[in-house]
Amino acid sequence: MIRIRKGAEADLYLTEFSALYFPWNSEKVLIKKRISKGYRQPELDHELRQRRTIHEAKLLHEAKAYVHTPVLYEIDTEDCTITMEYVEGARAKDDMTEDMAEEIGACIARLHEGGIVHGDLTTSNIILKGSRIYFIDFGLGEVTTEIEPQAVDLHLLKQALESTHYTHWRKLWKKILEGYKTRSGSHDVIKRIREIEKRGRYSKR
Ligand SMILES: Nc1ncnc2c1ncn2[C@@H]1O[C@H](COP(=O)(O)OP(=O)(O)O)[C@@H](O)[C@H]1O
Ligand SMILES: [Mg+2]
């Protein structure tokens, strides 16, 4: 088992996994393990990690009705781990074309229409594998059809683009919005993004 990342809330391990019914067939899998925080009371800490693990796994799976997400293999509520398919690809952070940007926008529109908000929509949480776009990291996701969190999703993505694809981020952002506009009701969400930006400007003073 190789640790590939040490996050603020979770560690990520890459390993092989054999399903009970197919022991001869092993797959590369990713294990996301929520780590305990020393400053929390131990029982509360475990309960919190359990809840977040279950919440993330549920949304990861539910989102599958609308976008590609890794296959969910196991949830261990004692260890607070999610075992899922390892998606071998490039992070949108490192590699995004205008065509992909438009498709990413359409994916977000489908997710929102399905009543799911991602909650942490940065370019590190989108993986490109061939022509497929995968969404990961639903820990901060919500089941809601409200405009505000939908607009925040897009606003976060815009900020992520701004800080990574500094040269052509405007073009990519335009394409994402074009893709998102396939959704009815997108107009109100896009209007709300502008309001969020205005709020941000005032609060910086
Ligand atoms: N299923 C997966 N397949 C491939 N890489 C993954 C997968 N899940 C996570 N990763 C990689 O690990 C990083 C962190 O995982 P993530 O679930 O986003 O945790 P965090 O909450 O720490 O951001 C991702 O940005 C991605 O590079
Ligand atoms: Mg992440």
Side-chain angles (χ1 to χ4, degrees):
M1 199 146 85
I2 321 162
R3 187 169 75 194
I4 61 165
R5 201 185 122 103
K6 201 171 153 46
E9 236 205 293
D11 287 346
L12 291 112
Y13 300 90
L14 182 60
T15 185
E16 306 253 315
F17 176 83
S18 302
L20 184 59
Y21 304 108
F22 306 101
W24 55 87
N25 187 14
S26 71
E27 300 274 347
K28 265 190 192 171
V29 297
L30 189 126
I31 300 178
K32 182 167 183 172
K33 181 176 172 64
R34 282 196 154 67
I35 45 179
S36 62
K37 301 278 179 186
Y39 55 80
R40 286 187 206 133
Q41 195 270 336
E43 274 109 65
L44 275 181
D45 176 83
H46 192 237
E47 209 182 289
L48 198 66
R49 286 184 292 126
Q50 274 183 322
R51 239 190 293 137
R52 290 184 180 167
T53 301
I54 295 169
H55 177 76
E56 173 165 12
K58 268 189 186 162
L59 279 184
L60 186 80
H61 188 66
E62 277 175 27
K64 247 186 205 314
Y66 315 106
V67 296
H68 294 294
T69 63
V71 174
L72 188 62
Y73 289 121
E74 263 180 9
I75 307 167
D76 187 322
T77 52
E78 215 32 62
D79 280 348
C80 301
T81 57
I82 301 174
T83 303
M84 67 183 109
E85 172 191 7
Y86 177 68
V87 181
E88 239 168 331
R91 289 182 311 177
K93 187 177 181 165
D94 307 317
D95 181 22
M96 195 196 298
T97 64
E98 287 181 34
D99 284 346
M100 277 172 192
E102 190 166 349
E103 178 57 23
I104 288 172
C107 286
I108 300 166
R110 284 202 301 277
L111 202 60
H112 286 177
E113 214 151 38
I116 297 177
V117 157
H118 183 280
D120 189 19
L121 204 51
T122 65
T123 44
S124 302
N125 290 332
I126 302 173
I127 303 176
L128 312 168
K129 183 184 177 185
S131 60
R132 283 187 172 198
I133 295 161
Y134 283 81
F135 289 79
I136 58 163
D137 200 4
F138 283 82
L140 296 173
E142 280 179 72
V143 175
T144 176
T145 51
E146 278 173 36
I147 291 176
E148 178 74 15
Q150 292 175 346
V152 170
D153 252 3
L154 287 164
H155 171 69
L156 279 178
L157 186 56
K158 186 182 178 185
Q159 281 193 324
L161 279 180
E162 228 173 309
S163 61
T164 48
H165 298 266
Y166 30 87
T167 50
H168 63 313
W169 74 268
R170 275 175 209 281
K171 269 191 210 153
L172 295 174
W173 174 240
K174 199 170 151 248
K175 285 284 172 191
I176 287 175
L177 285 186
E178 270 173 35
Y180 191 78
K181 280 178 190 158
T182 52
R183 177 188 174 203
S184 64
S186 64
H187 178 76
D188 292 337
V189 179
I190 290 165
K191 225 170 82 187
R192 185 65 68 95
I193 299 172
R194 287 198 205 105
E195 285 173 32
I196 291 172
E197 285 173 351
K198 249 190 246 163
R199 270 184 240 153
R201 275 200 290 279
Y202 291 128
S203 70
K204 264 185 209 143
R205 283 182 190 167

